[in-house]
Amino acid sequence: MVTILEKLSPLNKKLVRDLDHLRGQVIATALVVACGVASFVAMQATYDSLLASRDVYYSLYRFSDVFVTLKRAPESLAEEIRAIPGVAEVQTRVVANVTIDLPNLEEPAQGKLVSMTGTHIGILNDLYVLRGNPADPDKTDEVMISGAFADANKLNPGDSLNAVINGRWRKLRISGVALSPEYIYEIRPGDIFPDNWRFGIIWMNRRAVAAAFDMENAFNDVSLTLSPEAGETAVIERLDDILEPFGGFGAYGRPDQFSHRFVSNELAELEVFGTFIPAIFLVVTAFLLHMILSRLVGIEREQIGLLKAFGYSSRAIGAHYLKLAVAAILGGIVLGIALGAWIGSGMTALYADFFHFPILAFDIPAMVYVWSFVISILSASIGAIFAVRKAVATQPAEAMRPEPPADFRAGFMERLGFQRYFSTEVRMIVRNLSRHPFKALLSAFGISLSVSLLFLGFYFYDAINRLIEIQFGMVQKEDVEVTFNIPMPGRTRFDLQNLPGVERVETYRAVPVRLRLGNHSRRAALMGLQSEGTMRTIVDTNLRVVRIPNEGVVVSKTIADALGVKKGDIVSVEVTEGARPVRDVRVADVVEEALGLGVYMDLAALNRLMRESSTVSGAFLTVRDGSSDKLFSTLKNIPAVAGVSRPQAALDSFNETMAQTMGTSTAFLIGFACIIAFGVVYNGARIALSERGRELASLRVLGYTQREVGVILLGEQAMITAWAAPMGWTVGFLLCLLITKVVDAEIIRLPLVVSARTFIYSFLIVALAALASGFLVAWRLKKLDLVEVLKTRE
């Protein structure tokens, strides 16, 4: 029976035999390719799937295009809003903040009460019912609560909760648990991180909410959608004109809606990482294939000469080696696609759970498969091209001549007289490396890429630790923050001072504003702080404490860049509440904050800008140990208190969220980096074993032990791995720097800070991977056939 191999052409038979002979190196290279393809497929599929899931969610549940909050307007005004050119649909609501008493929390929680019309929230921002039923419109005590809040507090349909609604305690029955596209990122006003234990959305019958807040036939919140041809800016300007007499706080479009902006920023970061990380693997793939094929061409120079002598063209021989490169990675591409699909589905589910997407449409677009093959094959071809050029340029007569003997001369160790301080094995290692410095540097560079990946993974932990140090160790030094439903007189601080356990009080004023400079504008919350206060300070990413001046504003760098302002410039501050004053204010300083989008001012200066007496929006408190129970019990019964928060609770929530997402991503980075290190070290050692087989066998015949020969071979790889560490640290640091510049994260800006642990761990893990590959090569060295290797090649 004729075998398949016998049917192949001579060059294809040689291809199969080469793949079998190089199977160890081919497998190592294929694993690196699989990691690159897997990271590309996983991140691209996750990005595309989350983007599609978000857009489908927005579309099916009619997420609004424009939003605005106001004091109070008659329902009849809705018709005038509908008449604005470009407005497609309008939804009026009653929205208010309420205090919630939960049995599992000692402090009061906060809820946002949103009115529903009928059995649904209305034509816009509709609800997806997770469990239970929509609230009965005929029952004024039935509500629906948000999924994240319900899950965190283990609340289910049929349970009850107590809430302070406009100063009166109400017992509410939960009829269902729901999600809304408006609150994908569910966060309390003024917070940076979500705290699902202490903040949630409550949907309640419109009539009941209106009656509680004296809003019959009135509204204080509007959302609307636009027709395809509408201009958002023109609609917003007209809407502001209509609502200004009714205390409108300034309309804004979907890009400025906090939940949407956060989700969009997260997806943009995922897209960036989906480009950087696969690129590293593809560079390593090209490098490995170049190493393998260059070595193969060098060994087979006589065979290449014979092939040309028998009439094979340079094109045919070049195509043979290119096919070898492509064949070596095909298995890795297939494995990478399968692995990427598995990782991508898990990542998508993780993100979807974090974002609370009710609709999860995980799918890998066909173009992701296509690009996986195209990019991988292209990188393989680039890695092989120089070896192929060397093969096709070889002349038959020259190729069949023996290679000229190596030019041996005294190295730097001998010239400096250091050879007597080192063993013979160490001198052999140093001599061989010094005679092939370019090859050694290339090998070190390949390993350094795995070091850089690990460096990048551990950097995220360093950055998060610095964020925690800044935000919860230097910025937020209060024990408790209290916010009020409405601005309160400054004397309220004395009432707070008399509460149980309160030692010190610092008040603040928060005002919604729009900053303008020329044609640029930006919405923000202007925070008035006590200049002599110590519980809330402004700190930049370099740990510099910024003092609040008596006049002028301190602006975060993100907002300053958006407006194009710098220190000393004059900006227009348009207040969007109360009397809506407009003032020109000097920028006293620009600060690069780690978290948030802050605009700060001295409290007294802000009160003057607002033309009001000493008015405050909230306060920071320090509390005696053991007094929190009494304090929180008292605060629950104060109608003016809209919310109570603790920095420690925010830190716990932040740690839980970041631990899950960062732990998963770092685990994959570590695994992939280990595969790179193994692939590069193993290939380097195997090539060295093939190229120096006769030399090592001769040493064994001359009396060197197995261990001594192993030290010579693997000692070179150990030294190359050691060289790779500083190179990897440098590349990793540059990658971290690039990510901090490229990733557009408005809410969280990663500081460029690296700990000693990152340097140590990134090298130790690679060293362990290199050690594992060294054991495999040592095993092959042990099985070396001395007689076979020492035979003269004919």
Side-chain angles (χ1 to χ4, degrees), residues 241 249 294 468 575 724:
D241 291 340
F249 292 116
S294 294
I468 292 172
V575 179

Side-chain angles (χ1 to χ4, degrees), residues 450-625:
S450 60
V451 177
S452 68
L453 268 183
L454 289 166
F455 192 94
L456 180 62
F458 288 116
Y459 155 73
F460 289 120
Y461 285 110
D462 294 334
I464 294 302
N465 288 336
R466 174 59 66 88
L467 290 177
I468 292 172
E469 176 188 355
I470 294 174
Q471 190 67 24
F472 299 104
M474 301 180 68
V475 175
Q476 295 181 252
K477 290 183 284 188
E478 73 276 9
D479 296 322
V480 176
E481 179 185 353
V482 177
T483 56
F484 303 125
N485 284 313
I486 58 174
M488 303 292 287
R491 64 177 180 275
T492 305
R493 66 177 300 176
F494 300 109
D495 297 328
L496 294 173
Q497 186 71 62
N498 292 324
L499 292 178
V502 175
E503 293 184 327
R504 195 155 53 92
V505 178
E506 291 179 9
T507 55
Y508 67 86
R509 179 78 165 102
V511 178
V513 299
R514 181 181 285 112
L515 303 179
R516 288 190 184 275
L517 181 66
N519 295 326
H520 301 286
S521 67
R522 188 64 186 259
R523 291 170 50 85
L526 178 56
M527 177 77 78
L529 300 173
Q530 294 180 209
S531 57
E532 72 280 4
T534 59
M535 280 190 272
R536 183 60 64 93
T537 54
I538 307 171
V539 181
D540 67 10
T541 53
N542 295 319
L543 306 184
R544 178 178 69 100
V545 177
V546 179
R547 190 184 68 84
I548 299 177
N550 294 328
E551 298 292 339
V553 293
V554 177
V555 182
S556 71
K557 187 176 184 300
T558 301
I559 293 181
D561 291 343
L563 296 174
V565 303
K566 58 183 182 301
K567 183 177 179 179
D569 289 347
I570 303 297
V571 296
S572 175
V573 178
E574 303 175 3
V575 179
T576 58
E577 75 168 26
R580 303 171 70 93
V582 179
R583 302 283 186 272
D584 288 337
V585 181
R586 185 178 66 86
V587 176
D589 205 349
V590 175
V591 55
E592 188 168 3
E593 290 185 293
L595 298 171
L597 299 169
V599 181
Y600 306 96
M601 199 172 192
D602 176 70
L603 176 58
L606 179 55
N607 286 150
R608 290 194 297 271
L609 182 145
M610 294 288 293
R611 293 182 179 175
E612 59 189 14
S613 59
S614 56
T615 303
V616 298
S617 304
F620 307 116
L621 315 177
T622 56
V623 182
R624 286 192 298 272
D625 292 340

